Amino acid sequence: MDGEELTEQETALYDRQIRVWGADAQRRLSKSHILVCGLKGTVAEFCKNIVLAGVGSVTLVDDRVVTDESLPANFLILPHENHYNGKTLAEVCCDSLKEFNPMVDVAVETGDISTFGVEFFEKFDAVIISCCSLGKKKLINQKCRKLSKRVAFYTVECRGSCGEMFVDLQDYKYSKKKLEETIECQIEYPSFEEAISVPWRALPRRVSKLYFAMRVIEQFEDVEGRNPGETSIADRLGVLKLRKELCETNSLDESQIPDALLERLLTDTREFPPVCAIIGGILGQEVIKAISGKGDPLKNFFFFDAMDGKGLIEDISGPSTRS
Amino acid sequence: MASEEQISAIKGAKVLMVGAGGIGCELLKTLALSGFQDIHIIDMDTIEVSNLNRQFLFRQSHVGQSKAKVARDAVLRFRPNISITPYHANVKESRFNVDFYKEFDVVLNGLDNLDARRHVNRLCLAADVPLVESGTTGFLGQVTVHLKGKTECYECQAKPAPKTYPVCTITSTPSKFVHCIVWAKDLLFAKLFGDKNLENDLNVRSSDATNLSEHSEDVFECRKGEDIEQYGRRIYDHVFGHNIEVALSNEETWKNRNKPCAIYSKDVFPDKLTKENGKTEKGSTTEDVSAMASLGLKNPQDVWSLAENSRVFYESLRLFFSKRQKEIGNLTFDKDDQLAVEFVTAAANIRASSFGIPLHSLFEAKGIAGNIVHAVATTNAIIAGLIVIEAIKVLKKDSNNYRMTYCLEHPSKKLLLMPVEPYEPNKSCYVCSETPLSLEVNTHHSKLRDFVEKIVKAKLGMNFPVIMSGASIIYEVGEDLEEDMVAIYAANLEKVKFFFPCSKNIKTINMNLFSFLQNVGLESTGIFLLHFSSLNYFT
């Protein structure tokens, strides 16, 4: 336990949440540094949540210039020309986020983080990326894993009424309450690359169809060189063809990745605000748990589909990391 | 999901939100982002510092202002072209009547108390407007959908009532810290600082007829020429020493229980107190008055020793009498009153010490005494998302897909968000069902007053009842009643045989009982059959 006490200001502001996770967890949060890349609606929600929670700092990366397209699901962007004209997403979101909690350091980092060295990532306790290509996801995940310090790694993607979240806490030790006692636990996580390499036929039969559907689209974007999120209903035939190939390779029946599901994902490419709030909330909780070292973390995928209303956890890991 | 039908259903919808707090802020934001253009929002509260960890539409500079109004202003900043109508008002006000509710396509609750939820439930039923209910505590939350006739109403399943404790547990045999808190808050604090005319159980079992010359009422009054330290010691010795000794004298009570120890001030503080409390108070304004500050106790998370608790007891007592004299006799416990919290914490801890119950920090004591609900932003955000999804289904009349959704802290069968189909209405729900209620009344002894207080108000929760027997109104509560009617109703309350049967041989009476504002019973139930226990009534 660190020697520093929470200030009077912190105790007053964080009273209600300290009653949830305790003063010790709050102290750890206040010393944590979070890197966030890809500022669409879901990630905006997540940033709001962790800024309110009182993390030490949030570093935002997104050099895309704000356009009318960015507005719909992102409440951090105020639609006044003066506010966003010419600015990047990171800059605009930074200004808004600072207002939520003056005690949190919110800053902007420019450039393509996949070109940054491993030392850059050492500054952080958690890295969250979104709107990233498959290649970039794997690369950043690897950089986090190369460090001697444990850096938690998360990705999120939301398409229409669906959302997916991935967690890699590497070799994770934490404490939790069992009955009246506090016990120590340990979980090993696979990297993103390891997880998605698990042969589909090796997965439990009831695995969420959304997992497979997202992999198909991800692969399609990778193979076709598309920007993340740019695949649309116009690509339907190409996507279905890829599905067929992948299912054959994996000995998976094509009905496990229904047409209707893929079509939904290709039609509603924009984020749906209620799903952003839900995924951003779950992600916020997970990061808070990982930093405070308290409570069962999610392993390792989370899926939500507004169509059936289920929010479920899937453990996609090879035999060595299966819990 | 982004179909034309959906977009136009959302655009044209008129939505009522009740509550602009934890869930409300998240909900208003998500509704606005989702394309809703006509939102009304009711909230009677003003903004406090402890809200700011999750009610993100508010800033430090907004503390003291209306939640509904500030929430509206904040959302208009990123959605300037939509209409948000705020009401800084209590949802139970009469202007929010059935006609008001009928204007809306759906009502979304973000409330934190059962009473308001029941009220809104009944009005939605009367207006036949769909209601989406929700609640959160820490990491848990749920969203439920209620449509008249199709699903359960909010009251179909009994909701747990707030916990109460037996009087003797509080006054004589506490076994948990919460019992000590209730004693310190509702008895001691109330006795010393509250309305002296109110009944108080503090000395109920403690003063036997051993010393008749000592009037128990006078014990708590300051005596002539007594300085504050003497007064403080005398009170301390009375409640923690004398009262315990008196309780101990009753052997029966302690046969199967651990005996408490009496604690006297001379044992904890042999010397004069004023020397030890040398530190001057930080500020001279009422807000700064704090025993902790005065004693140099910095951390509300620390568990104080018996001596420290006793110091806080004296110092808070002293500060009340020297700095807040005017308020004494009118105070009720308020969790945001630092000095009151300090006093109650100290008193509860000394009592706990006496009874061998573990002591607690001020932080913990405040939570218990103030019934503070622990809350975080993330759960509220998740629940708000789920509410909007249900609201959209309601607008599309997508009734096969309505769901009650539970947000769990630990997954159940891989599910963290668990949807369940809504249940059908409970046929014996007195709020929404068609079945008449049956009550048995002893007509020789029961007054109308008993019926009104115990059944109508307490059990049925009707605050503004109108009771008719046959075609006459025998009792009603409401605004704008004429004085002579009020007098007649008051007289009726004392009557025993308060029903006037039309025919002498009937054994059951049809009585119309409806609540003027809530319309329970007016359209559906309407008739309560009373079965009389005494057959002699009709001879």
Side-chain angles (χ1 to χ4, degrees):
Chain A
M1 197 164 96
D2 302 293
E4 290 169 37
E5 303 287 357
L6 292 168
T7 65
E8 237 183 87
Q9 191 187 5
E10 285 173 316
T11 315
L13 178 61
Y14 300 136
D15 183 273
R16 299 297 185 267
Q17 65 199 39
I18 291 173
R19 292 177 191 281
V20 177
W21 53 60
D24 194 32
Q26 189 62 50
R27 271 186 286 268
R28 290 202 194 152
L29 280 170
S30 71
K31 296 184 192 337
S32 65
H33 304 287
I34 318 292
L35 176 68
V36 178
C37 177
L39 290 164
K40 278 171 72 179
T42 310
V43 174
E45 282 279 344
F46 165 72
C47 289
K48 174 250 302 163
N49 292 333
I50 56 163
V51 168
L52 289 173
V55 294
S57 78
V58 180
T59 303
L60 305 172
V61 180
D62 200 322
D63 291 337
R64 292 177 292 181
V65 174
V66 178
T67 61
D68 286 341
E69 287 289 299
S70 330
L71 291 176
N74 191 333
F75 64 98
L76 299 177
I77 307 173
L78 310 182
H80 308 298
E81 285 261 342
N82 294 338
H83 187 254
Y84 73 74
N85 211 3
K87 287 188 177 173
T88 66
L89 276 168
E91 286 167 344
V92 173
C93 292
C94 182
D95 292 337
S96 298
L97 284 168
K98 279 184 174 153
E99 287 186 22
F100 294 147
N101 190 344
M103 292 194 270
V104 177
D105 249 311
V106 188
V108 171
E109 185 72 53
T110 53
D112 179 356
I113 61 169
S114 55
T115 64
F116 293 179
V118 164
E119 339 66 61
F120 170 77
F121 294 90
E122 191 153 34
K123 291 185 280 186
F124 304 102
D125 300 286
V127 171
I128 291 88
I129 61 174
S130 182
C131 320
C132 272
S133 66
L134 178 59
K136 196 167 169 180
K137 270 184 207 171
K138 290 183 194 173
L139 189 60
I140 294 172
N141 192 188
Q142 280 312 314
K143 292 193 200 237
C144 291
R145 289 187 141 237
K146 283 202 174 109
L147 296 161
S148 53
K149 170 188 178 188
R150 189 182 60 80
V151 176
F153 175 81
Y154 302 82
T155 71
V156 266
E157 292 304 337
C158 288
R159 279 180 159 264
S161 47
C162 299
E164 173 187 78
M165 188 184 119
F166 168 79
V167 183
D168 176 12
L169 299 179
Q170 300 169 43
D171 194 2
Y172 183 62
K173 294 185 182 64
Y174 66 103
S175 65
K176 73 172 186 181
K177 279 215 169 93
K178 196 166 186 182
L179 302 173
E180 292 299 314
E181 295 183 325
T182 307
I183 58 171
E184 296 298 311
C185 307
Q186 184 171 351
I187 310 182
E188 263 191 66
Y189 283 75
S191 70
F192 187 74
E193 184 155 20
E194 286 166 355
I196 63 172
S197 305
V198 173
W200 290 359
R201 64 184 170 278
L203 295 170
R205 236 189 293 148
R206 286 284 186 92
V207 164
S208 171
K209 298 176 164 54
L210 194 45
Y211 172 74
F212 299 120
M214 295 297 271
R215 303 282 80 70
V216 171
I217 294 177
E218 189 177 69
Q219 268 285 68
F220 182 85
E221 284 174 354
D222 190 44
V223 163
E224 301 289 320
R226 295 290 181 83
N227 280 331
E230 267 181 15
T231 319
S232 70
I233 198 65
D235 300 300
R236 184 174 168 274
L237 288 175
V239 170
L240 290 175
K241 181 163 170 272
L242 181 62
R243 176 188 67 178
K244 188 166 183 219
E245 287 168 21
L246 288 170
C247 287
E248 274 170 17
T249 320
N250 279 284
S251 309
L252 189 77
D253 196 293
E254 270 190 271
S255 65
Q256 287 285 57
I257 316 179
D259 283 12
L261 176 59
L262 277 174
E263 278 160 14
R264 259 200 298 141
L265 291 171
L266 292 172
T267 315
D268 309 327
T269 53
R270 290 165 91 183
E271 289 178 302
F272 184 45
V275 175
C276 298
I278 291 166
I279 302 287
I282 300 279
L283 179 59
Q285 265 167 211
E286 287 305 309
V287 170
I288 289 167
K289 275 193 270 185
I291 290 170
S292 62
K294 277 171 88 169
D296 286 314
L298 191 156
K299 184 192 175 201
N300 55 348
F301 278 89
F302 175 80
F303 294 101
F304 178 76
D305 186 348
M307 187 128 272
D308 64 15
K310 290 184 185 168
L312 49 80
I313 299 173
E314 293 287 3
D315 186 350
I316 313 275
S317 39
S320 58
T321 46
R322 187 68 59 83
S323 47
Chain B
M1 269 254 163
S3 66
E4 285 302 316
E5 182 213 344
Q6 178 166 308
I7 293 172
S8 74
I10 291 172
K11 245 187 180 172
K14 189 168 173 182
V15 175
L16 175 66
M17 280 181 53
V18 187
I23 293 176
C25 285
E26 294 285 346
L27 181 56
L28 187 61
K29 170 258 300 166
T30 305
L31 284 171
L33 289 178
S34 301
F36 284 83
Q37 301 193 334
D38 186 0
I39 306 168
H40 293 239
I41 177 162
I42 305 174
D43 194 305
M44 63 186 213
D45 282 342
T46 54
I47 297 161
E48 296 173 15
V49 170
S50 64
N51 299 149
L52 303 177
N53 81 317
R54 63 204 183 282
Q55 299 174 25
F56 71 98
L57 298 175
F58 310 142
R59 305 280 169 267
Q60 184 72 44
S61 56
H62 295 135
V63 171
Q65 295 180 39
S66 151
K67 287 190 179 185
K69 292 182 182 165
V70 177
R72 179 256 270 141
D73 293 343
V75 172
L76 286 178
R77 288 176 76 204
F78 61 88
R79 278 296 178 275
N81 298 323
I82 66 176
S83 167
I84 303 175
T85 312
Y87 303 86
H88 182 196
N90 189 331
V91 70
K92 289 164 83 169
E93 283 173 30
S94 54
R95 58 170 156 153
F96 304 123
N97 56 17
V98 179
D99 290 330
F100 176 81
Y101 279 77
K102 279 184 177 166
E103 300 274 304
F104 296 99
D105 297 298
V106 67
V107 175
L108 310 176
N109 270 356
L111 289 164
D112 60 0
N113 70 91
L114 188 61
D115 194 42
R117 283 178 161 133
R118 291 171 86 182
H119 183 90
V120 174
N121 179 51
R122 291 165 186 208
L123 277 157
C124 287
L125 288 166
D128 200 2
V129 175
L131 169 65
V132 182
E133 250 292 355
S134 65
T136 63
T137 307
F139 291 126
L140 298 171
Q142 81 279 334
V143 174
T144 55
V145 185
H146 306 278
L147 276 97
K148 181 173 174 176
K150 295 205 183 79
T151 71
E152 280 187 334
C153 83
Y154 180 71
E155 292 175 83
C156 277
Q157 284 190 34
K159 299 289 180 288
K163 186 127 174 85
T164 53
Y165 304 96
V167 174
C168 51
T169 309
I170 305 300
T171 57
S172 315
T173 52
S175 55
K176 294 182 186 167
F177 186 70
V178 60
H179 303 151
C180 301
I181 288 281
V182 175
W183 176 87
K185 182 177 79 152
D186 296 338
L187 297 186
L188 187 61
F189 182 90
K191 190 75 177 174
L192 288 171
F193 306 113
D195 187 350
K196 306 233 184 296
N197 295 321
L198 290 178
E199 267 183 43
N200 190 306
D201 291 319
L202 191 56
N203 276 339
V204 159
R205 280 178 181 67
S206 55
S207 62
D208 295 319
T210 45
N211 193 348
L212 287 168
S213 62
E214 188 188 334
H215 304 288
S216 43
E217 270 76 70
D218 290 344
V219 164
F220 294 95
E221 290 289 329
C222 208
R223 292 191 184 137
K224 240 184 173 181
E226 193 178 41
D227 73 24
I228 195 66
E229 180 177 337
Q230 288 168 318
Y231 176 65
R233 280 186 186 263
R234 192 164 58 73
I235 298 297
Y236 188 103
D237 289 344
H238 184 79
V239 297
F240 300 122
H242 175 260
N243 280 359
I244 301 292
E245 303 238 19
V246 169
L248 281 167
S249 66
N250 185 345
E251 293 282 331
E252 260 311 300
T253 316
W254 309 108
K255 245 184 168 174
N256 298 316
R257 293 190 180 95
N258 291 330
K259 288 185 179 179
C261 317
I263 304 176
Y264 288 96
S265 57
K266 62 173 165 51
D267 305 319
V268 187
F269 297 120
D271 303 323
K272 266 184 90 68
L273 277 159
T274 41
K275 266 198 207 155
E276 290 162 42
N277 299 346
K279 285 203 155 101
T280 49
E281 293 93 63
K282 254 165 65 175
S284 52
T285 58
T286 324
E287 291 94 69
D288 288 334
V289 174
S290 154
M292 276 177 72
S294 162
L295 295 169
L297 291 167
K298 296 235 167 88
N299 191 352
Q301 304 254 348
D302 284 337
V303 179
W304 305 322
S305 64
L306 174 60
E308 284 168 330
N309 275 298
S310 301
R311 276 202 200 94
V312 173
F313 181 87
Y314 286 121
E315 183 62 6
S316 50
L317 191 71
R318 186 185 76 79
L319 286 169
F320 267 118
F321 277 93
S322 56
K323 300 280 176 190
R324 296 174 61 178
Q325 182 75 39
K326 288 190 189 134
E327 299 173 65
I328 295 175
N330 287 322
L331 281 168
T332 45
F333 178 81
D334 178 354
K335 68 181 189 303
D336 297 310
D337 180 346
Q338 176 68 15
L339 197 59
V341 173
E342 290 169 351
F343 178 82
V344 167
T345 302
N349 272 331
I350 300 164
R351 185 169 176 79
S353 186
S354 187
F355 282 85
I357 298 169
L359 305 190
H360 286 60
S361 67
L362 180 118
F363 179 79
E364 291 165 323
K366 178 178 169 179
I368 300 167
N371 291 315
I372 295 179
V373 176
H374 46 290
V376 295
T378 49
T379 320
N380 289 333
I382 294 164
I383 292 303
L386 293 169
I387 294 171
V388 175
I389 290 171
E390 288 306 311
I392 293 172
K393 290 178 198 169
V394 164
L395 293 173
K396 286 161 69 181
K397 300 196 180 1
D398 187 8
S399 50
N400 290 331
N401 286 319
Y402 297 149
R403 294 290 178 269
M404 325 256 270
T405 310
Y406 298 92
C407 178
L408 308 171
E409 190 174 347
H410 305 290
S412 163
K413 297 190 181 145
K414 302 195 300 185
L415 288 173
L416 216 45
L417 298 177
M418 189 168 72
V420 168
E421 282 187 48
Y423 300 116
E424 286 186 0
N426 178 359
K427 291 199 171 54
S428 21
C429 174
Y430 64 82
V431 177
C432 74
S433 78
E434 302 284 316
T435 324
L437 265 189
S438 168
L439 297 170
E440 287 211 1
V441 175
N442 183 325
T443 57
H444 286 294
H445 302 297
S446 309
K447 295 182 183 176
L448 180 60
R449 170 187 294 288
D450 299 318
F451 178 67
V452 170
E453 295 301 320
K454 292 177 190 170
I455 307 289
V456 175
K457 287 189 179 167
K459 276 225 140 58
L460 301 181
M462 293 183 190
N463 297 316
F464 298 95
V466 176
I467 306 177
M468 297 175 73
S469 178
S472 345
I473 299 178
I474 56 173
Y475 182 75
E476 68 176 312
V477 173
E479 300 156 0
D480 307 328
L481 288 177
E482 288 168 20
E483 268 187 45
D484 50 352
M485 293 313 295
V486 172
I488 291 173
Y489 297 145
N492 282 349
L493 281 178
E494 303 310 315
K495 288 189 182 164
V496 173
K497 294 191 172 72
F498 50 88
F499 300 110
F500 310 107
C502 310
S503 157
K504 278 198 173 171
N505 294 320
I506 56 168
K507 289 193 179 140
T508 60
I509 297 288
N510 289 343
M511 191 179 73
N512 279 318
L513 168 57
F514 60 94
S515 179
F516 192 57
L517 291 179
Q518 294 169 336
N519 279 337
V520 173
L522 179 60
E523 276 136 36
S524 50
T525 320
I527 296 167
F528 292 105
L529 299 178
L530 295 177
H531 301 269
F532 292 98
S533 62
S534 164
L535 297 171
N536 292 335
Y537 184 80
F538 297 99
T539 59

